[in-house]
Amino acid sequence: WVRPTDEPNKAFCYLCSSSFSVAHGGENDVKRHGGRDSHQKKVRQQETSKSMQLFLLRPKHDSVSDKVTAAEVSSVYHSVKHGHSYRSTDCSNKPAPVIYPDSDIAKKNSCGRTKSACIVTHALAPLSVGKCLSELTSPISIHDKPQLTPFFSVASDASNHGSAKLFPLAVRYWTPELGLQNKVLDFYEDSEEASGSIHKQITNKLKENGIQLDMISAYTADNASVNYGKCNSVYQKLKADNAKIVKANCMAHIVHNCAKYAGDRLDIGIENVVNKIFSHFPSSSKRTEELKNIFAFVEEEHHALLNHVSTRWLSTWPAVTRLHTCWPAVKAYFLSLGGEQCPKVLWKLFKKDQDSEGQPIELQAYLSFLHNALKIFHDVTLQLESDDRTVCELYDIRSTLQRKPQQRQVDSFFGTETSALLQQFPDSKAAAIKEDFCSFYDASLIYLQKWYDFSDSNFHKHVAVLELNREFTFSHLCDAVNVLQIQDKLDMDELYEEYCVTLPRQQEIAKGTVPVVEKWSLFLKNTKTPNLTALGSFLFSIPVTNAVVKRVFSLMTEAWTDQRNRCSVELIKSEIQVKSNFAYCCSEFYSYTVKERTLLEAVRSNKKYKFKKK
């Protein structure tokens, strides 16, 4: 820190940026200056700050700096994937140099909460959307149509966070190389929920991202009139922009409403009973302990009762089944309370068994019946909510759903256990209960006929053969092209040639048990079939449910907790995009990041900070 000066009796301290005399003490004068508090403070500052020479001498992009940046990004990705706060990320990075003293990467890792949030908002989220857009704008080469890109569907819905009305915009597309993709393109706030505003937002955001509106295959949302009304809905406005857009309303919603509508026709409102019994226990540890004792008394394993949530499509059957499984203990518990302590609504159902020495009551028969009947709707909803479910399978799924209640009604089948229970009732009572059960089947069939088109005009029937469970002919392909109205996008002569090329592979592929989209990827593998690829792209981009958007709302709820109530819409949008658009696990993401030059540059750049931009 000491340097000579032009004056022979003075020395210069470059830490203090000052000269001092060495005329009298010589070396002692230097030691005296070095012992001063002001000089020692400068020494400590130098030790804790990095030397500028390290940055000047180091190459702009060396492997160590890339690994450090990749480590920082991977830690942020891990935090977002698992819902950690940015304070937690900041704190977990600080002890790393102490825990791993031999690691140069750990020593250089510096990623606080501000930097972490900026990496998510201005690096990871834009990259995830950019990859999606590059896939959507990559052309499918067709003779005379070289700029044809993959078809895609758009999905939207609305949800509230406090007073804010929020809309996700998701896209679904398919190519043989990528498989089926569901991505979140945007997540925005809009105070208006009118069809005109929703339509304007969708079209504007697609245009801003350079996506052609004429490549939209379908629009999906919940079944509200604002989305699918006959006159002034979002669907009708989108159809005015592109006449080929298919109506892809949420089929899982229809199945759920069908089961609910049929259940409401029964004499006993099972949803109310399930929720009333459930609500009796969670608020009281004493009641729960008493129920556990009764489980032990009847020699049954204790199972917690489940609640039915009306907005959760898959909650009804598990809640009914759990109550049906726990019936002996639950019945014994409420009978032990007596008419004074048991809730009045429940006592009306349980009191009939007060002195009947264990004979079944109506509620027990209804639980047994619904345990059997609701399983039909539950299984179909699970099928529909599968990520790789396609519109080719929809007609068969719906036909099976219609056929099962019809056959059960014809055979007067209510379940083996239910039939055994009904034999213990008087004949008149058993007949009345059976008639009520038949009304459940009637109501479900009426609802299905009303909300699903089983006629030959439904395009689902025309594309069902392309499920590749059996061989199809060229006329089947022509039928699908005509019903989807995409003749102008394809070359039909070339399509026939491609059909002939792939014909020998049909039988082998049809024997497989993999999902439909994987069958088509294998079917078109290593073949030059752009027209068949375009047809598959249109067909498989059509969703069967709006589950993707519903999952976005679940991610929003998980991220926007009371503890993180100061998060902006932009930050929540970015976290949702990172979670939805990247499929890497946390360990895989580091290997991906360290090779992604664009991401590393964006993270190192000061442009990721908003205040730096200003």
Side-chain angles (χ1 to χ4, degrees):
W1 50 263
V2 67
R3 298 286 186 273
T5 65
D6 295 335
E7 300 180 40
N9 295 326
K10 286 191 175 182
F12 179 78
C13 175
Y14 75 85
L15 289 181
C16 301
S17 299
S18 63
S19 300
F20 59 92
S21 175
V22 291
H24 302 289
E27 183 181 350
N28 287 332
D29 289 335
V30 175
K31 291 180 179 179
R32 190 180 303 110
H33 177 83
R36 291 177 181 173
D37 292 340
S38 59
H39 179 86
Q40 289 298 318
K41 184 178 179 182
K42 297 290 184 181
V43 171
R44 288 193 295 270
Q45 289 176 353
Q46 184 197 37
E47 290 173 351
T48 56
S49 63
K50 294 180 179 178
S51 173
M52 183 62 72
Q53 287 241 306
L54 293 175
F55 297 96
L56 295 175
L57 297 176
R58 180 181 295 167
K60 190 174 183 181
H61 304 302
D62 66 354
S63 60
V64 175
S65 64
D66 284 351
K67 290 177 181 178
V68 170
T69 305
E72 292 175 348
V73 176
S74 299
S75 68
V76 173
Y77 179 80
H78 170 76
S79 298
V80 172
K81 276 287 187 180
H82 297 282
H84 299 168
S85 69
Y86 296 112
R87 285 181 180 273
S88 172
T89 305
D90 188 0
C91 183
S92 63
N93 284 330
K94 287 178 179 176
V98 180
I99 298 173
Y100 311 110
D102 298 334
S103 171
D104 291 336
I105 295 175
K107 292 176 182 177
K108 296 177 175 65
N109 193 327
S110 59
C111 191
R113 54 180 178 171
T114 301
K115 184 177 180 180
S116 298
C118 290
I119 288 174
V120 174
T121 307
H122 300 296
L124 287 177
L127 178 65
S128 73
V129 175
K131 286 177 67 66
C132 168
L133 295 176
S134 67
E135 293 166 356
L136 283 174
T137 53
S138 299
I140 300 172
S141 299
I142 295 181
H143 181 64
D144 295 331
K145 300 176 179 67
Q147 296 306 313
L148 186 68
T149 54
F151 292 96
F152 66 95
S153 64
V154 292
S156 185
D157 205 345
S159 184
N160 285 75
H161 178 75
S163 60
K165 180 72 70 176
L166 298 157
F167 295 82
L169 179 61
V171 293
R172 170 182 164 123
Y173 54 96
W174 175 88
T175 66
E177 298 78 21
L178 297 170
L180 197 57
Q181 301 291 324
N182 290 290
K183 306 291 186 182
V184 178
L185 199 61
D186 210 328
F187 184 79
Y188 60 90
E189 182 180 0
D190 190 354
S191 58
E192 295 185 42
E193 201 174 357
S195 60
S197 177
I198 297 173
H199 168 259
K200 183 179 179 181
Q201 289 278 15
I202 290 174
T203 54
N204 285 348
K205 291 187 180 298
L206 292 177
K207 289 176 182 176
E208 288 170 7
N209 287 296
I211 303 178
Q212 304 174 44
L213 297 181
D214 63 341
M215 298 308 294
I216 301 176
S217 60
Y219 171 67
T220 184
D222 64 23
N223 301 321
S225 58
V226 68
N227 293 316
Y228 292 113
K230 293 182 179 180
C231 299
N232 194 32
S233 62
V234 178
Y235 172 68
Q236 295 298 336
K237 293 180 185 297
L238 286 172
K239 202 167 178 64
D241 298 329
N242 179 0
K244 299 178 181 63
I245 292 180
V246 174
K247 179 183 178 182
N249 50 336
C250 185
M251 295 301 173
H253 197 182
I254 293 175
V255 174
H256 168 74
N257 286 347
C258 178
K260 182 178 176 61
Y261 177 80
D264 288 343
R265 306 279 81 77
L266 295 174
D267 289 341
I268 294 179
I270 198 66
E271 290 184 4
N272 295 331
V273 172
V274 167
N275 288 341
K276 189 67 178 176
I277 291 176
F278 173 82
S279 64
H280 185 77
F281 295 101
S283 58
S284 173
S285 58
K286 181 181 178 182
R287 293 173 181 173
T288 303
E289 192 61 33
E290 290 173 353
L291 180 62
K292 288 181 180 179
N293 292 334
I294 291 181
F295 268 102
F297 178 75
V298 298
E299 298 182 347
E300 294 284 346
E301 183 180 354
H302 173 258
H303 296 285
L305 298 176
L306 301 177
N307 190 22
H308 163 64
V309 182
S310 59
T311 56
R312 298 287 183 180
W313 301 334
L314 294 171
S315 70
T316 308
W317 181 77
V320 170
T321 299
R322 180 60 57 85
L323 184 57
H324 170 258
T325 304
C326 301
W327 175 252
V330 172
K331 183 180 73 170
Y333 171 82
F334 283 104
L335 287 175
S336 69
L337 294 180
E340 295 297 324
Q341 297 183 35
C342 182
K344 190 173 181 179
V345 174
L346 297 178
W347 185 247
K348 288 180 180 179
L349 300 172
F350 283 103
K351 69 178 181 180
K352 297 177 183 178
D353 193 46
Q354 193 174 13
D355 301 313
S356 61
E357 298 180 353
Q359 292 297 314
I361 59 176
E362 290 178 53
L363 178 57
Q364 185 177 355
Y366 277 80
L367 282 173
S368 178
F369 167 71
L370 290 173
H371 164 67
N372 183 282
L374 288 177
K375 184 71 162 56
I376 302 171
F377 302 92
H378 183 81
D379 289 346
V380 169
T381 304
L382 279 176
Q383 282 184 285
L384 293 173
E385 286 205 336
S386 174
D387 288 335
D388 51 20
R389 194 64 56 197
T390 67
V391 73
C392 299
E393 304 160 87
L394 198 52
Y395 190 82
D396 288 342
I397 291 173
R398 288 297 188 176
S399 298
T400 303
L401 177 61
Q402 183 189 37
R403 187 167 57 252
K404 285 185 176 181
Q406 278 179 338
Q407 192 60 46
R408 287 169 186 243
Q409 188 178 35
V410 170
D411 297 336
S412 296
F413 181 78
F414 311 113
T416 305
E417 181 184 349
T418 308
S419 299
L421 287 172
L422 290 175
Q423 291 178 3
Q424 302 180 48
F425 287 89
D427 291 344
S428 59
K429 187 63 178 176
I433 295 175
K434 288 180 180 179
E435 185 178 352
D436 201 28
F437 291 166
C438 286
S439 70
F440 177 92
Y441 293 142
D442 280 333
S444 64
L445 293 170
I446 290 170
Y447 193 92
L448 279 177
Q449 290 286 352
K450 179 180 179 182
W451 291 101
Y452 185 77
D453 182 12
F454 287 94
S455 69
D456 292 341
S457 61
N458 189 345
F459 83 93
H460 294 162
K461 187 172 184 179
H462 294 268
V463 301
V465 70
L466 300 182
E467 187 180 351
L468 263 180
N469 278 345
R470 56 189 183 276
E471 295 183 44
F472 59 82
T473 64
F474 182 68
S475 62
H476 288 136
L477 284 179
C478 293
D479 192 22
V481 171
N482 290 331
V483 76
L484 297 173
Q485 303 178 41
I486 55 173
Q487 303 93 326
D488 61 322
K489 299 289 186 182
L490 307 179
D491 187 315
M492 298 304 292
D493 292 335
E494 287 190 6
L495 181 64
Y496 179 75
E497 297 298 329
E498 294 170 15
Y499 165 75
C500 293
V501 169
T502 55
L503 184 59
R505 312 179 68 177
Q506 281 197 41
Q507 188 174 6
E508 180 185 353
I509 297 296
K511 293 178 182 177
T513 57
V514 295
V516 175
V517 288
E518 291 187 28
K519 283 185 177 182
W520 270 81
S521 294
L522 293 171
F523 183 55
L524 302 178
K525 186 178 181 181
N526 299 326
T527 61
K528 192 175 181 181
T529 51
N531 290 277
L532 274 173
T533 300
L535 175 59
S537 176
F538 191 99
L539 201 58
F540 303 139
S541 66
I542 302 173
V544 297
T545 71
N546 200 29
V548 171
V549 171
K550 299 299 182 185
R551 290 179 190 134
V552 169
F553 293 140
S554 296
L555 293 176
M556 178 192 75
T557 304
E558 291 173 7
W560 225 337
T561 60
D562 291 339
Q563 289 73 29
R564 304 184 72 206
N565 58 5
R566 294 178 64 187
C567 291
S568 64
V569 174
E570 184 182 19
L571 180 57
I572 297 299
K573 176 186 79 171
S574 300
E575 290 188 1
I576 289 171
Q577 288 173 332
V578 170
K579 288 182 179 180
S580 303
N581 298 348
F582 284 123
Y584 300 101
C585 71
C586 297
S587 57
E588 293 172 342
F589 193 73
Y590 174 82
S591 302
Y592 163 75
T593 303
V594 79
K595 300 174 185 177
E596 191 68 33
R597 177 64 57 191
T598 305
L599 177 60
L600 297 177
E601 291 293 340
V603 172
R604 282 194 282 256
S605 171
N606 279 340
K607 293 181 179 179
K608 66 180 178 289
Y609 298 109
K610 278 189 173 181
F611 53 85
K612 292 287 185 182
K613 288 182 181 180
K614 294 177 182 178

